[in-house]
């Protein structure tokens, strides 16, 4: 029983270290820290091994997908706290707390009402489209694995939400949606042909 708890703790530490590396690389944009990205994702992937030893492969896959996302919200909250402190410091002419990325209102110039409308329409278009393509592609890819149908569906649902988030973030970060939307249309069409054709 003690070995299970030690493995779980070790997996949590690895996942936290991976998320921390990715977050701190995101905060600092220097070329010398490119290895942080590889090391962060590698730690997150390797955290599956102790979870497998502690809880079995079924739960390990679930933890590998869910725990890093939950841990990432800690750093999202930290970034929001820093940005809020910096805005208060600017109002009172104090030195900012620490470096933070530019607020969304500055990036998208949201003080103009038409910018709000464009951003809302873009988000409303991208999120369902990214979700549909991501779920189709994930179900098609997991169907190729030599697993029982139930395991395939669970893995597709867990991986699908992760892929959906990645694809939606990627689409929202694009200045022009033409190429990414066309590429996703091809992926969605191929996935649908495999599943329903």
């Amino acid at each position: 029983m003690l070995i299970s708890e030690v493995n779980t703790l070790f997996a949590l530490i690895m996942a936290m270290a991976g998320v921390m590396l990715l977050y701190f690389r995101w905060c600092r944009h220097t070329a010398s820290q490119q290895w942080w990205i590889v090391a962060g994702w590698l730690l997150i992937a390797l955290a599956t091994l102790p979870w497998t030893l502690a809880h079995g492969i079924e739960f390990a896959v679930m933890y590998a997908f869910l725990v890093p996302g939950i841990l990432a919200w800690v750093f999202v909250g930290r970034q929001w706290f820093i940005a809020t402190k910096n805005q208060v410091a600017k109002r009172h002419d104090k030195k900012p707390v620490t470096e933070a990325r530019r607020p969304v209102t500055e990036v998208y110039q949201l003080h103009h009402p038409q910018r709000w409308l464009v951003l809302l329409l873009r988000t409303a278009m991208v999120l369902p489209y990214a979700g549909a393509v991501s779920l189709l592609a994930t179900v098609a890819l997991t169907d190729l694995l030599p697993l029982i149908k139930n395991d395939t569906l669970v893995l597709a649902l867990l991986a699908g939400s992760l892929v959906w988030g990645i694809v939606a973030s990627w689409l929202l970060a694009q200045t022009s949606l033409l190429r990414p939307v066309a590429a996703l249309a091809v992926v969605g069409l191929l996935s649908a042909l495999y599943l329903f054709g």
Side-chain angles (χ1 to χ4, degrees):
M1 196 61 155
L2 182 62
I3 294 173
S4 176
E5 280 88 16
V6 169
N7 280 326
T8 301
L9 181 63
F10 191 58
L12 282 172
I13 290 169
M14 289 174 71
M16 179 63 103
V19 171
M20 285 174 68
L21 280 172
L22 292 173
Y23 171 75
F24 288 122
R25 171 60 181 99
W26 177 74
C27 287
R28 296 171 181 85
H29 297 287
T30 58
S32 64
Q33 296 167 335
Q34 287 286 41
W35 66 270
W36 288 20
I37 296 172
V38 175
W41 284 114
L42 191 61
L43 278 171
I44 290 170
L46 289 176
T48 308
L49 296 175
W51 269 317
T52 303
L53 295 173
H55 304 289
I57 189 67
E58 298 87 3
F59 290 105
V61 170
M62 182 182 68
Y63 293 144
F65 282 117
L66 296 179
V67 170
I70 293 167
L71 293 173
W73 278 106
V74 172
F75 295 103
V76 169
R78 179 185 183 275
Q79 193 66 27
W80 174 81
F81 177 75
I82 291 170
T84 304
K85 286 278 192 184
N86 286 342
Q87 288 175 354
V88 170
K90 280 182 186 177
R91 280 191 221 130
H92 299 294
D93 293 329
K94 294 180 183 174
K95 187 177 178 182
V97 176
T98 183
E99 283 293 317
R101 286 182 173 259
R102 292 189 317 176
V104 172
T105 53
E106 287 180 23
V107 173
Y108 289 105
Q109 299 175 356
L110 295 180
H111 48 275
H112 300 297
Q114 63 269 25
R115 295 280 185 165
W116 275 98
L117 184 61
V118 168
L119 185 62
L120 287 174
L121 287 174
R122 185 176 182 156
T123 304
M125 182 190 78
V126 161
L127 290 181
Y129 180 70
V133 172
S134 299
L135 290 175
L136 273 173
T138 308
V139 170
L141 286 175
T142 54
D143 192 52
L144 296 171
L145 297 174
L147 297 173
I148 304 170
K149 202 61 158 173
N150 293 345
D151 292 343
T152 302
L153 289 175
V154 170
L155 181 60
L157 287 174
L158 289 171
S161 59
L162 178 70
V163 173
W164 183 2
I166 292 169
V167 170
S169 300
W170 175 60
L171 283 175
L172 288 172
Q174 300 298 313
T175 53
S176 170
L177 288 177
L178 185 60
R179 282 189 196 158
V181 167
L184 287 176
V186 171
V187 169
L189 183 64
L190 290 174
S191 301
L193 284 174
Y194 171 77
L195 290 171
F196 306 115

